[in-house]
Amino acid sequence: MTAIYEKIQSCMQCVRKMTDFVPEIAIVLGSGLGDFASHIKIEKEIPYSEIQGFPVSTVPGHAGKFIFGYVGDKKVVCMKGRVHYYEGYDISDVVLPIRLMGLLGAKILFLTNAAGGVNWDFAPGNLMMITDHVAAFAPNPLIGENIWELGVRFPDMTQIYDLKLQEVLRKSAAQNAIDLKEGVYAQLTGPSYESPAEIRMLRTLGVDAVGMSTVVEAIAANHMGLRICGVSCISNLAAGMSGKALSHEEVQEAADMASKNFANLLLVALPMFE
Ligand code: HPA
C-alpha cells in the first residue's frame, strides 16, 4: 500500500467513527458558492479539522467542513471549502478529499468553482458547464507510484465530464430559465492571477474559463472511476479584458450574486442524476 493510500484510509477510518452515512453524490462548493449548503437536509457535519491528517484551507471564505445529508431523496456529501495547490499542500493532499468521498461511496462528483471568463461572450455572474479541461498548466495529481486500489497507471481522459450528467444540467438550466454557458476550463496554479498575455494564450488554446482548482480534482476522480460534472461561476472577466485590476473580493461578490441561480441549477439537477 502506498503512503498516500494509507493516509486516505486513515482519514476514512476517522470519518467512519463519526458517521456511517453513505453518499451517492459528492459536491465541491467553490468560492462564494457555499450558500447551497443551506438547502441540504443535514444528517452530519464534520469540520475538516476533526479529521486527522486532512488538509485544512487557509483562504478566507473557504472555512472547511463536510456536510452529509439529503437533497430531495439523494444522499450527498458536500465539501464546503476546498484546499488549493497554491496554499502549499502536496498535490496528493489537494485531491485527498475527492478520493475520500469516492471511497465513502460517492459515484458522482459535482465540481464547482469561481472562474475568470476568457471567452468574450461571457459576463460576470454567468454559469458555465464544464465540458472539458486543460490540465497542462497544473501538476498532475497521479504523478508518483500508482495507487492500484484506486485506478490504472494510464487512465483515459477522453470523456472526463459525463455526457448524461451534462444533459441533466442543460435540462435543469432550461427549467430554471438560466442561460447556462458551456466550455473548457483551465487550471493554473495561482495564487497570482494571470497576465493579459497568458489570457490571450489560453483563449488561443480554446479555453473559455480559468481558475485555480477543479482540474486536478477531476483527474483524481476520473482515475478512480467517478462520473463527473462541473459548473464554473464566471466571477470576472479574466485579466486584461475589462480594463480593471482583479481582486479576490470582486470574485467573491460576483459568486455571491450568482449563488441563487447556482443553487437552483443544482436543486433541480441533483434529483434527476442517475
Ligand atoms: N483567474 C484565476 N482564477 C480565478 C479568476 C481568474 O480570473 N477568477 C476567479 N478565480
Side-chain angles (χ1 to χ4, degrees), residues 136-215:
F137 304 109
N140 194 303
L142 307 182
I143 288 175
E145 193 180 339
N146 186 46
I147 305 176
W148 288 100
E149 291 87 346
L150 298 179
V152 298
R153 173 74 289 189
F154 300 107
D156 175 59
M157 295 279 155
T158 307
Q159 192 66 64
I160 302 166
Y161 299 88
D162 188 274
L163 291 174
K164 283 196 180 138
L165 300 180
Q166 287 186 37
E167 212 32 67
V168 172
L169 283 176
R170 287 189 195 101
K171 264 193 211 156
S172 172
Q175 280 187 34
N176 283 299
I178 294 169
D179 174 23
L180 184 65
K181 309 292 186 188
E182 300 188 11
V184 174
Y185 175 94
Q187 176 176 354
L188 273 64
T189 65
S192 47
Y193 289 114
E194 302 71 33
S195 68
E198 285 164 338
I199 296 305
R200 288 194 297 275
M201 170 192 75
L202 292 172
R203 192 178 303 116
T204 305
L205 296 179
V207 169
D208 298 290
V210 62
M212 305 175 193
S213 68
T214 303
V215 165

Side-chain angles (χ1 to χ4, degrees), residues 113-134:
N113 57 53
V118 174
N119 186 322
W120 281 109
D121 293 336
F122 293 177
N126 281 162
L127 298 178
M128 183 195 89
M129 178 170 78
I130 303 172
T131 54
D132 201 352
H133 72 212
V134 170

